Amino acid sequence: MITASRLTLARKRRGLTVTRLSQLAGLTTRRLTDFESGKATPSPASLTALAAALEFPESFFFADEIAELTADVASFRALSKMTASQREIALSNGRLARTLQDWVAQRFRLPAPDVPSLTSFSRCRSTDEQIPLPGEDTGAEPPAEHAAELVRARWGLGNAPIPNMLHLLEAHGVRAFSLSRDCAEVDAFSFWDRGTPFVLLNTAKTGERGRFDAAHELGHLVLHGEEQMPHGPAAEAEAHRFAAALLMPSADVVARAPQNPATSWILQAKRHWRVAAMALAHRLHELGLSTEWQYRTHCVELSRLGYRKAEPGGVQRETSQVLGKVFSALRSEGIRPSDIARDLHLRPADLNDLIFGLVVTAQTGGRQSTATSARPQLTVVS
Ligand SMILES: [Zn+2]
């Protein structure tokens, strides 16, 4: 007996429709549908054909059920513009990341989640600290701006720039993983899973974009509920404002920016906050430090200099510190990435896709090691 839902998961991970997979595996669509619903069990030959077409080890289909992850709990931006297949690939990445996270959590003590949520802020707000709820118009500063200040205060960041956004998230218990290269349309997304916040990031963007995406997803986790992620332009604008406020605190920007900052000032100052030039230009305007006309001028000049699509001379792409430590600790115990991939019933290449490409996979041909019993025992490290 296979775990039928794993067949669907593997198909979605590869971005395949039922029709396409049945063609690849030489089955009728009816037959495949029956396998996926659990109405029928594939013969050994059918299973081999399916596993080959899906590029998953056959053992993947016999492992335990993996909890569902649906689009309504994930923070997808522009849900309507994203193709269904891209969304499914991203969500499947999220489900596989959860199994990897469970695997790691059984062997390592990881930072406890410490991501404040505005819901809990608002529940315990006192009369002297009124925190507006999202969408509540009080005429005061936008809630996202205020939420970013609260996070900075709670995490003891003051107004200093954030040297590494991804490490900061991980230090506060956010589990960060990377999106596979076959879902390039998805910048990032986040979700809560049994009280643990997850962020999945696209690794093809510039370092500055990656930092902003990570801060944006933190905004969703902080501002938007655990039960359901609101989608749409209002939620996106809030997460965006949160990211800008977190990376470029208004007090620091106001203190540093001259009157009518020139484009050359932006190009210098962006290094201080490690943000994209365009993001800083927008922040100046958002804070009333440049006029609409100046902002447009900045955009035109920055575009001309190549800062719309790229970030010349930009910062390095951030990567996971937790996963780096985990994999090097495992390596020192003699546990190879291929052993971990085998435990998770994944190809080493698919494991590598989830962990920012941190391990170089020597063999990706799917050759399975037979030395299962010789595997060393893992120890718990902090
Ligand atoms: Zn978003």
Side-chain angles (χ1 to χ4, degrees):
M1 282 295 280
I2 63 158
T3 305
S5 61
R6 282 186 168 247
L7 189 52
T8 313
L9 169 60
R11 176 173 61 74
K12 290 182 170 176
R13 169 64 190 85
R14 298 293 178 231
L16 298 172
T17 60
V18 169
T19 311
R20 185 72 191 121
L21 176 58
S22 52
Q23 285 166 351
L24 290 171
L27 299 163
T28 63
T29 53
R30 177 64 189 272
R31 199 81 189 119
L32 179 54
T33 308
D34 284 350
F35 294 157
E36 288 196 14
S37 66
K39 266 195 211 158
T41 305
S43 66
S46 296
L47 186 64
T48 302
L50 284 166
L54 290 164
E55 298 185 81
F56 270 83
E58 285 185 37
S59 62
F60 178 81
F61 304 99
F62 293 96
D64 292 343
E65 197 88 34
I66 298 181
E68 189 57 73
L69 178 63
T70 52
D72 58 336
V73 299
S75 67
F76 286 123
R77 63 188 79 162
L79 200 55
S80 55
K81 283 188 212 147
M82 195 184 295
T83 63
S85 119
Q86 287 280 298
R87 190 176 63 229
E88 296 299 351
I89 293 173
L91 287 170
S92 315
N93 271 301
R95 292 173 73 185
L96 295 176
R98 251 184 347 203
T99 63
L100 172 57
Q101 162 58 28
D102 288 346
W103 191 95
V104 171
Q106 281 165 13
R107 291 155 179 88
F108 294 85
R109 201 160 53 240
L110 301 173
D114 170 32
V115 174
S117 98
L118 192 69
T119 331
S120 56
F121 277 146
S122 56
R123 257 205 306 276
C124 62
R125 66 177 160 175
S126 59
T127 44
D128 51 286
E129 200 197 11
Q130 288 291 326
I131 298 152
L133 294 165
E136 194 178 318
D137 187 13
T138 58
E141 70 176 340
E145 194 84 29
H146 196 69
E149 285 169 15
L150 284 168
V151 169
R152 274 190 164 269
R154 173 138 160 193
W155 289 358
L157 301 174
N159 282 322
I162 296 171
N164 192 309
M165 190 60 221
L166 196 46
H167 295 181
L168 178 69
L169 289 184
E170 289 188 312
H172 293 277
V174 177
R175 312 303 185 219
F177 296 93
S178 52
L179 281 163
S180 56
R181 277 153 294 178
D182 53 2
C183 61
E185 279 178 40
V186 182
D187 291 329
F189 76 99
S190 55
F191 59 92
W192 285 93
D193 177 46
R194 295 161 289 169
T196 300
F198 279 73
V199 169
L200 275 89
L201 295 161
N202 184 316
T203 56
K205 304 283 154 65
T206 63
E208 287 83 353
R209 272 289 296 277
R211 284 167 57 79
F212 202 92
D213 284 345
H216 174 108
E217 294 309 322
L218 177 62
H220 281 303
L221 292 167
V222 168
L223 290 160
H224 305 133
E226 288 190 29
E227 299 298 313
Q228 205 172 23
M229 282 282 185
H231 295 105
E236 285 311 298
E238 277 187 339
H240 221 71
R241 182 73 188 246
F242 177 94
L246 188 79
L247 289 167
M248 299 167 273
S250 63
D252 196 26
V253 178
V254 168
R256 285 170 186 274
Q259 269 301 313
N260 309 328
T263 305
S264 56
W265 182 83
I266 293 176
L267 291 176
Q268 276 300 316
K270 83 182 194 86
R271 297 171 200 278
H272 173 70
W273 291 290
R274 301 171 76 80
V275 293
M278 285 288 187
L280 179 51
H282 188 266
R283 184 70 175 148
L284 292 171
H285 183 50
E286 190 169 71
L287 293 174
L289 297 167
S290 65
T291 63
E292 178 74 28
W293 182 82
Q294 285 168 325
Y295 173 54
R296 278 164 199 251
T297 307
H298 289 152
C299 289
V300 169
E301 287 182 8
L302 290 172
S303 288
R304 188 173 52 76
L305 295 167
Y307 285 91
R308 183 168 289 283
K309 294 207 170 111
E311 207 62 36
V315 300
Q316 262 209 328
R317 184 79 212 187
E318 294 175 355
T319 184
S320 165
Q321 189 171 41
V322 165
L323 292 171
K325 283 184 178 174
V326 161
F327 279 84
S328 76
L330 291 169
R331 197 183 299 273
S332 69
E333 301 263 340
I335 296 157
R336 296 163 307 169
S338 58
D339 298 324
I340 303 155
R342 194 187 46 233
D343 256 16
L344 294 164
H345 313 286
L346 296 175
R347 289 189 316 167
D350 286 327
L351 173 65
N352 210 20
D353 269 353
L354 288 171
I355 57 168
F356 300 85
L358 282 169
V359 296
V360 180
T361 48
Q363 52 177 60
T364 52
R367 225 181 80 221
Q368 302 279 315
S369 163
T370 50
T372 313
S373 57
R375 235 178 322 155
Q377 289 298 303
L378 288 158
T379 53
V380 177
V381 303
S382 57

